[in-house]
Amino acid sequence: MKGHEGWDQYADYYDWENRQTVGRRDIAFWSRVAAPVRGPILELGCGTGRVAIPLARDGARVVGVDRSASMLACGRRRVRRARLQSRVKLICGDIRHLPFPDGTFRLVMAPYGILQSLLDERLLSATLRDVCRVLKRGGLFGLELVADLPAWEEYSNRTTLRAARGPHGTPIRLIESVWQDRRRHITRFEQEFVEGRGTAVTRRMFSLAFRTLSVPQMVNRLEKAGLEVSSLLGDYQGGPWDLRADVWIILARKG
Ligand SMILES: C[S@@+](CC[C@H](N)C(=O)[O-])C[C@H]1O[C@@H](n2cnc3c(N)ncnc32)[C@H](O)[C@@H]1O
């Protein structure tokens, strides 16, 4: 299984589901990080523009890179609807090989666990090397790891979400299974969205996998890539990280 797989099939449901889960709870934080930055900002794994669009509304210029054509198609529709084409550019690409010259950005952001889509050391180190390359000297790299993934309970075929109206206006339920591979630090979700009723039921199945390093392990990988960690944050208000924190944010600079 590869970490970039599953997102094309998820795209139709992503914004609908995330409105009920992560919502906008990290947006004000990333907006504060972006506010002092002059010039374009790079977002790794921009998806449907959940972070890029509100930042652009606040005045930032954001370049988003994502591998999933379907996630990008949703994002581009939202950018057009918000009339933000001059401030948001969404590009199809892999975060391991960033299509930008050296020293392009003063800020690179990796919100909402995008680095956890890199399922082995080789992919993570290639990505961090390239992030370091596209940052200007003194530039900032900000990332969030989704903290609750390694502790997620394992279960099989459980209905974890149900609503009278899903993204297509019909009843919907999400049937989910979760596996933990403790040795490889990988959490795998198998999801099936079931929409409609009676004979008009449609089903969409896909899997997503994530690899979670601890904060100290990620700090070590950032330093190996040539970045200097400046802050470890344990909430979206800027409070310090500790082992009990349920938010894991790391800010690092290119020295
Ligand atoms: C959790 S979503 C985050 C989307 C968005 N940043 C947000 O906060 O809502 C992860 C996104 O990363 C993308 N992705 C995963 N692996 C990738 C890779 N190797 N290169 C580019 N994009 C990738 C997926 O296609 C998906 O859109």
Side-chain angles (χ1 to χ4, degrees), residues 87-220:
R87 287 209 219 129
V88 184
K89 301 277 177 257
L90 302 184
I91 293 172
C92 191
D94 197 298
I95 61 171
R96 291 169 288 172
H97 313 286
L98 294 167
F100 309 105
D102 298 2
T104 305
F105 299 99
R106 289 199 167 85
L107 172 64
V108 177
M109 304 182 314
Y112 200 25
I114 165 66
L115 295 186
Q116 286 158 287
S117 288
L118 302 164
L119 299 189
D120 66 44
E121 277 304 313
R122 200 175 40 85
L123 302 179
L124 178 62
S125 59
T127 302
L128 296 180
R129 260 200 315 275
D130 229 25
V131 165
C132 199
R133 181 184 66 75
V134 302
L135 272 174
K136 287 188 194 298
R137 195 166 287 280
L140 188 67
F141 180 40
L143 68 99
E144 179 177 7
L145 301 175
V146 175
D148 56 2
L149 285 176
W152 208 287
E153 183 195 353
E154 289 186 296
Y155 47 79
S156 203
N157 293 321
R158 184 180 288 180
T159 299
T160 53
L161 206 58
R162 190 188 280 279
R165 289 170 69 82
H168 304 108
T170 55
I172 187 166
R173 76 205 143 89
L174 170 60
I175 304 168
E176 192 173 66
S177 302
V178 182
W179 289 271
Q180 295 284 3
D181 178 340
R182 307 265 175 222
R183 192 178 58 79
R184 296 169 62 217
H185 309 286
I186 286 179
T187 312
R188 188 158 72 85
F189 292 82
E190 206 167 273
Q191 306 205 303
E192 180 178 22
F193 281 96
V194 183
E195 285 181 278
R197 53 169 80 84
T199 52
V201 164
T202 60
R203 294 170 184 273
R204 177 85 55 92
M205 271 183 85
F206 55 91
S207 296
L208 299 172
F210 304 93
R211 174 175 181 258
T212 307
L213 294 184
S214 67
V215 169
Q217 286 170 329
M218 187 56 84
V219 166
N220 168 277

Side-chain angles (χ1 to χ4, degrees), residues 7 14 43 45-47 50 66-68 71 93-95 112 114:
W7 297 97
Y14 185 83
E43 184 188 355
C46 55
R50 188 185 65 84
D66 202 288
R67 253 189 93 125
S68 161
M71 294 288 278
D94 197 298
I95 61 171
Y112 200 25
I114 165 66

